[in-house]
């Protein structure tokens, strides 16, 4: 290893392998065009190439891979949702995440921490018990815990009764984890390109040609390509891209902000969420406290940060963890989230025959990246909707079959 | 601090307002199809650009209309709903339903 490094350092040509191969010109036609180079689009490309032998695939990414919500999220991974449909779906994703570093031969720094959703009211205790029972029934490790448990499991937590919202208990989900979000995008991208997938960064989709209810071409700022099927996975831009194909969605684009503190020595193992206080916090592997809350109060296509957000968030963080009061905030940012009315995604078929959608991921879609890749690829390859994602069909909004996940997804993501 | 001009109360901090959604025509619930009703309830234009929306000044429970740019986060114009809605909706029982309460 040291010799390799010295040789590399002294070499004039820098023989290092490019992580992504250089971008060729666009071909005139692809079997599958994937719009959006976030984790979801890249995972779909990887699964198509690796498991379905479909390698004539292009991913079009307007900016750079993972530069959307994939690289902006707070990386919480869990499966303790509320509806049986949601729990089964996210549980498959957690099991894929657990072995993803091996699968991609790329370290995504998957780190199981245990996830606590604090309950400060009678109704939150009731929902926590409800979720724990649904979870256990479906084989997910999830338990209602009480104040004495919390005192033992999170000694830093302020359990005083003398605060605005005293903690009554929590939903405890031991497999709750965090991971390195960019690595998820890079890992999938690296492996997909090795298998022949083309990833075109800096390539914006500007129109979608639909003839007789079928997509015939995808127009980009670098030219037009024909395709057998196309799929969009563009998060906050979902409504605008779907509009190009003549499809209307039940989605609002709302910014979600987050921030990190300066790095500190490891001191907070679990992930802590409070729905009533609108906060969540964890400590990343490089020591930064990663903190966030609820979405901004109104829809916008913007990623600006606000002082209102950070002030509101901090007053609540400090109620839970007063010992952090001297810690400095290092960075603050926002992503544009695609929010649905039932806090569940929109996945699968659309009114356009060979056009598929992976949207409505709002504030909770990072944890679903592997399962989306796997199941969207299966859908594109077989043209049959996998039963695991069937409940999330766009047409559920025509027959009022919503999948109410708000109780488990709103602040907890 | 961002502010918005309320047609009733003048300039106020943005936190005093609640966003109420796009201005869309409500279909007649007695005559429209389920699909039209579902579209009205759930679907959104969600445009990047100029939008026309309902907003409420929470402290005075006053609903009004705002036109704003969702990309620049600029409020272009706010006005009383009477500018768009000239008469009240008709909520009398339609003839077809007469006698079936
Ligand atoms: C602050 C924040 C915190 C979050 N925390 C969590 C969390 O803790 N846990 C969790 O599970 N989820 C979380 N989420 C949600 C999660 O980040 C997203 O749901 C998920 O990353 C979506 O992945 P994606 O691949 O679908 O979208 P993205 O990663 O956003 O990728 C979409 C890509 O499409 C590209 N694109 C858009 N328009 C076009 C076009 N016309 N042509 C070509 N390309 C285009 C964009 O440039 C972008 O790169 C959070 C989100 C935010 C913003």
């Amino acid at each position: 290893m040291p010799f390799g490094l010295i040789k590399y350092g002294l070499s004039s040509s820098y023989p290092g392998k490019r992580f992504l191969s250089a971008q060729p010109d666009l071909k005139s036609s692809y079997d599958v065009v994937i719009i959006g180079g976030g984790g979801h689009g890249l995972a779909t490309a990887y699964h198509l190439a690796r498991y379905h032998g479909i390698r004539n695939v292009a991913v079009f990414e307007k900016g750079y891979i993972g530069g959307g919500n994939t690289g902006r999220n707070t990386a919480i991974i869990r499966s303790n949702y509320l509806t049986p449909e949601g729990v089964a779906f996210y549980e498959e994703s957690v099991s894929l995440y657990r072995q993803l570093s091996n699968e991609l031969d790329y370290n995504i720094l998957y780190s199981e921490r245990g996830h606590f959703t604090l309950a400060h009211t009678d109704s939150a205790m009731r929902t926590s018990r409800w979720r724990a029972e649904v979870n256990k029934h479906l084989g997910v490790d999830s338990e209602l815990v009480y104040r004495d448990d919390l005192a033992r499991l999170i000694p830093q937590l302020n359990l005083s009764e003398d605060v605005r919202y005293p903690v009554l208990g929590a939903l405890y989900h031991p497999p709750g984890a965090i991971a390195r979000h960019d690595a998820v995008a890079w890992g999938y991208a690296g492996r997909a390109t090795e298998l022949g997938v083309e990833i075109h960064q800096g390539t914006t989709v500007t129109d979608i040609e639909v003839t007789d209810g079928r997509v015939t071409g995808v127009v980009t700022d670098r030219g037009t390509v024909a395709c057998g099927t196309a799929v969009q996975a563009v998060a906050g831009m979902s409504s605008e891209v779907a509009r190009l194909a003549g499809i209307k969605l039940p989605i609002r684009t709302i910014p979600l902000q987050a921030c990190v503190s300066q790095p500190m020595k490891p001191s907070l193992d679990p992930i802590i969420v409070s729905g009533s206080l609108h906060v969540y916090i964890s400590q990343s592997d490089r020591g930064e406290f990663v903190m966030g809350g609820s979405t901004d109060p109104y829809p916008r296509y913007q990623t600006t940060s606000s002082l209102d957000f950070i002030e509101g968030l901090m007053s609540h963080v400090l109620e839970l963890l007063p010992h952090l009061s001297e810690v400095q905030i290092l960075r603050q940012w926002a992503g544009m989230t695609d929010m649905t009315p039932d806090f569940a995604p929109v996945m699968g078929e659309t009114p356009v025959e060979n056009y598929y959608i992976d949207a409505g991921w709002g504030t909770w879609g990072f944890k679903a990246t592997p399962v989306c890749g796997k199941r969207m690829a299966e859908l594109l390859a077989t043209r049959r909707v996998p039963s695991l994602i069937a409940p999330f069909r766009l047409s559920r909004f025509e027959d009022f079959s919503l999948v109410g996940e708000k109780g488990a997804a709103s602040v907890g993501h | 601090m961002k502010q918005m001009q309320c047609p009733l109360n003048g300039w106020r901090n943005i936190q005093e307002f609640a966003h109420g959604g796009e201005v869309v025509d409500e279909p007649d619930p007695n005559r429209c199809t389920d699909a039209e009703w579902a579209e009205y309830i759930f679907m959104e234009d969600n445009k990047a650009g100029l939008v026309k929306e309902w907003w409420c000044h929470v402290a005075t429970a006053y609903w009004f209309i705002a036109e704003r740019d969702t990309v620049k986060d600029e409020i272009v114009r706010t006005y009383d709903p009477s500018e768009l809605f000239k008469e009240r909706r008709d909520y009398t029982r339609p003839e077809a339903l007469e006698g079936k309460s």
Side-chain angles (χ1 to χ4, degrees):
Chain A
M1 177 61 192
F3 294 114
L5 206 59
I6 292 166
K7 211 171 127 200
Y8 180 78
L10 296 176
S11 141
S12 56
S13 59
Y14 293 104
K17 181 166 137 237
R18 267 185 85 109
F19 191 77
L20 290 181
S21 41
Q23 287 180 32
D25 287 339
L26 302 190
K27 286 197 266 188
S28 59
S29 155
Y30 295 94
D31 293 341
V32 179
V33 163
I34 297 172
I35 309 171
H40 287 223
L42 296 166
T44 304
Y46 167 77
H47 276 270
L48 280 172
R50 169 86 202 270
Y51 294 104
H52 300 281
I54 300 178
R55 296 177 177 182
N56 184 20
V57 175
V59 179
F60 294 142
E61 165 53 49
K62 162 168 98 167
Y64 56 93
I65 57 165
N69 291 354
T70 298
R72 293 163 190 267
N73 76 84
T74 43
I76 298 173
I77 297 163
R78 61 187 177 91
S79 60
N80 60 349
Y81 274 67
L82 179 60
T83 66
E85 297 88 343
V87 175
F89 174 79
Y90 292 108
E91 180 61 10
E92 178 166 294
S93 210
V94 169
S95 64
L96 291 167
Y97 255 124
R98 281 195 168 129
Q99 47 85 46
L100 194 59
S101 294
N102 282 335
E103 162 102 28
L104 300 175
D105 190 20
Y106 194 75
N107 191 355
I108 63 154
L109 301 180
Y110 192 72
S111 172
E112 275 186 15
R113 299 296 188 83
H115 181 283
F116 292 87
T117 313
L118 302 179
H120 307 254
T121 61
D122 293 2
S123 56
M125 284 298 276
R126 198 190 57 220
T127 314
S128 299
R129 185 174 288 116
W130 175 9
R131 276 169 72 183
E133 293 309 317
V134 174
N135 292 169
K136 280 187 275 192
H137 182 66
L138 293 163
V140 170
D141 191 358
S142 182
E143 199 70 60
L144 186 67
V145 295
Y146 299 89
R147 287 170 60 85
D148 52 340
D149 302 308
L150 288 170
R152 185 167 46 80
L153 293 164
I154 324 176
Q156 307 93 315
L157 188 66
N158 181 8
L159 286 170
S160 159
E161 306 245 358
D162 194 20
V163 291
R164 175 69 183 85
Y165 292 108
V167 176
L168 303 180
L171 180 68
Y172 177 37
H173 179 46
I178 51 176
R180 176 99 173 99
H181 45 21
D182 313 288
V184 173
W186 298 334
Y188 278 122
R191 292 297 94 86
T193 47
E194 278 170 14
L195 294 167
V197 169
E198 289 180 14
I199 295 174
H200 293 280
Q201 305 187 73
T203 306
T204 306
V205 171
T206 54
D207 203 3
I208 296 168
E209 292 172 349
V210 179
T211 321
D212 298 331
R214 288 183 58 83
V215 173
T216 48
V218 174
V219 183
T220 76
D221 55 358
R222 293 175 57 216
T224 302
V225 300
C227 64
T229 49
V231 56
Q232 68 165 78
V234 293
M237 295 307 286
S238 292
S239 302
E240 286 296 337
V241 172
R243 201 186 324 277
L244 302 176
I247 299 163
K248 200 167 174 183
L249 300 177
I251 284 177
R252 287 181 178 176
T253 296
I254 310 184
L256 175 66
Q257 303 188 42
C259 64
V260 292
S261 73
Q262 64 186 124
M264 311 287 286
K265 286 188 177 165
S267 61
L268 181 70
D269 196 37
I271 304 156
I272 304 173
V273 178
S274 162
S276 306
L277 293 178
H278 299 277
V279 302
Y280 58 90
I281 177 166
S282 68
Q283 191 175 17
S284 76
D285 287 306
R286 54 181 177 206
E288 298 165 344
F289 291 101
V290 181
M291 296 166 277
S294 6
T295 51
D296 278 7
Y298 58 95
R300 254 154 53 230
Y301 283 83
Q302 265 201 331
T303 51
T304 39
S305 311
S306 68
L307 182 64
D308 295 355
F309 167 79
I310 208 95
E311 277 183 342
L313 182 66
M314 287 314 135
S315 62
H316 289 153
V317 166
L318 294 181
E319 182 165 315
L320 293 178
L321 300 168
H323 69 288
L324 297 183
S325 65
E326 301 295 316
V327 178
Q328 307 286 310
I329 295 295
L330 193 66
R331 280 195 311 283
Q332 186 187 350
W333 67 90
M336 298 190 306
T337 65
D338 38 337
M339 300 294 287
T340 55
D342 56 357
F343 287 67
V346 174
M347 292 180 83
E349 297 173 315
T350 71
V352 177
E353 201 188 311
N354 55 343
Y355 191 76
Y356 298 90
I357 187 160
D358 174 56
W361 284 109
T363 63
W364 53 85
F366 175 68
K367 69 180 68 61
T369 307
V371 70
C372 286
K374 177 174 174 187
R375 297 302 179 175
M376 287 306 292
E378 180 184 338
L379 170 62
L380 293 166
T382 64
R383 301 286 181 98
R384 277 196 306 275
V385 180
S387 55
L388 201 62
I389 65 168
F392 308 128
R393 66 200 159 86
L394 172 58
S395 60
R396 76 178 181 274
F397 295 98
E398 283 161 28
D399 48 31
F400 302 89
S401 317
L402 274 55
V403 187
E405 276 295 5
K406 185 166 182 183
S410 57
V411 175
H413 299 336
Chain B
M1 170 76 57
K2 193 167 182 64
Q3 295 196 322
M4 170 135 97
Q5 188 170 27
C6 172
L8 185 66
N9 303 287
W11 290 99
R12 317 293 302 189
N13 289 344
I14 195 83
Q15 280 106 330
E16 293 187 22
F17 298 96
H19 173 260
E22 294 164 2
V23 176
V24 278
D25 284 337
E26 183 185 306
D28 180 344
N30 292 308
R31 289 189 182 79
C32 72
T33 62
D34 284 356
E36 283 162 349
W37 189 251
E39 151 122 14
Y40 166 66
I41 299 282
F42 298 121
M43 293 298 159
E44 306 272 348
D45 268 335
N46 192 31
K47 263 200 339 226
L50 275 185
V51 297
K52 194 189 287 179
E53 296 170 323
W54 286 101
W55 281 76
C56 179
H57 182 250
V58 177
T60 55
Y62 167 72
W63 284 93
F64 61 96
I65 311 241
E67 293 178 8
R68 63 181 185 100
D69 188 319
T70 58
V71 177
K72 297 186 196 141
D73 193 19
E74 275 170 19
I75 294 143
V76 180
R77 202 161 87 84
T78 55
Y79 47 90
D80 190 84
S82 61
E83 246 190 64
L84 292 183
F85 299 89
K86 298 294 179 202
E87 51 200 70
R88 294 198 70 83
R89 267 190 82 84
D90 180 10
Y91 283 112
T92 55
R93 185 195 301 273
E95 259 167 49
L97 299 179
E98 208 61 64
K100 321 180 192 166
S101 56

